[in-house]
């Protein structure tokens, strides 16, 4: 099992990247959120990975965060959901949107993903809601759901906090604690959260 790769980013294009690790070029399929977080080609990159072994091929999937990887693993464990559909779900909704849909039982949002119909959406809710909560990806009852109140900026801020090491639930609580008037952009929300954390120790 290949748990992660660290090396030089060679190329990046929608859906896939090539990483040079010790002179070996690894081709990884990645969701849109991971692609957006990559450095410039030539810089060092570290990606969480999943290796899928089939009779006729080996496929390597890369993720910028542990949360993306965990959600991908849960998605492909559901009957009828393969890697392509799992990547589409992560790319369309992002970890924040996917976790929010699971937390709120929002089948309509899940059905926005190309390839996910009403039946598959309901199956995902039934099979993944509790598993995602156990991993800390979905807030417990009474906690703010992903994305936190505040719309797109709050969702982006929460995703940025996850990239900094917060769990999904911690990021949701942190963004919600700033309040809807705390900032108008994701960058401002993140700054306020980090400032509050520094002040409180």
């Amino acid at each position: 099992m290949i748990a992660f790769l660290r090396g030089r980013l060679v190329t990046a294009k929608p859906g896939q990247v090539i990483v040079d690790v010790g002179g070996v070029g690894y081709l990884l399929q990645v969701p849109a959120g991971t692609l957006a977080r990559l450095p410039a080609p030539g810089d060092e990159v570290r990606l969480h990975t999943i290796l899928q072994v089939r009779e006729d091929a080996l496929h390597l999937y890369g993720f910028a965060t542990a949360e993306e990887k965990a959600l991908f693993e849960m998605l492909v464990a559901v009957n009828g959901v393969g890697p392509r559909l799992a990547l589409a779900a992560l790319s369309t909704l992002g970890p924040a949107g996917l976790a929010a849909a699971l937390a709120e039982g929002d089948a309509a949002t899940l059905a926005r993903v190309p390839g996910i119909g009403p039946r598959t959406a309901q199956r995902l809710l039934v099979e993944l809601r509790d598993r995602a909560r156990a991993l800390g990806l979905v807030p417990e009852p009474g906690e703010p759901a992903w994305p936190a109140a505040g719309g797109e900026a709050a969702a982006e801020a929460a995703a940025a906090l996850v990239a900094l090491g917060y769990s999904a639930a911690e990021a949701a609580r942190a963004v919600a604690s700033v309040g809807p008037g705390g900032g108008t952009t994701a960058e401002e929300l993140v700054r306020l959260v980090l400032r509050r954390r520094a002040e409180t120790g």
Side-chain angles (χ1 to χ4, degrees), residues 35-198:
L35 195 68
R37 295 187 182 96
L38 292 175
D43 289 346
E44 184 178 86
V45 65
R46 183 183 187 277
L47 294 173
H48 302 275
T49 58
I50 294 173
L51 175 64
Q52 185 180 74
V53 181
R54 293 187 173 180
E55 291 184 1
D56 57 346
L58 299 175
H59 295 287
L60 194 59
Y61 301 92
F63 309 92
T65 68
E67 283 76 14
E68 280 184 318
K69 178 179 177 179
L71 282 166
F72 179 88
E73 289 178 311
M74 289 192 298
L75 286 167
V76 296
V78 175
N79 185 37
V81 178
R84 183 176 299 179
L85 192 55
L87 287 176
L90 283 168
S91 294
T92 301
L93 302 178
L98 182 55
L102 291 170
E104 298 165 7
D106 189 351
T109 292
L110 293 174
R112 285 169 38 204
V113 177
I116 294 183
R119 289 186 179 180
T120 302
Q122 288 296 335
R123 189 182 308 128
L124 289 170
L125 290 176
V126 169
E127 296 192 26
L128 297 186
R129 187 171 184 174
D130 290 340
R131 293 179 60 192
R133 179 169 288 119
L135 289 174
L137 298 174
V138 175
E140 295 294 334
E143 293 183 335
W146 270 56
E152 184 177 348
E156 292 178 0
L161 291 171
V162 167
L164 292 173
Y166 285 65
S167 72
E170 288 171 341
R173 285 195 300 270
V175 174
S177 71
V178 173
T184 58
T185 68
E187 291 79 8
E188 289 171 340
L189 288 169
V190 171
R191 271 200 304 271
L192 288 168
V193 168
L194 296 178
R195 183 186 304 163
R196 178 172 294 184
R197 180 176 181 179

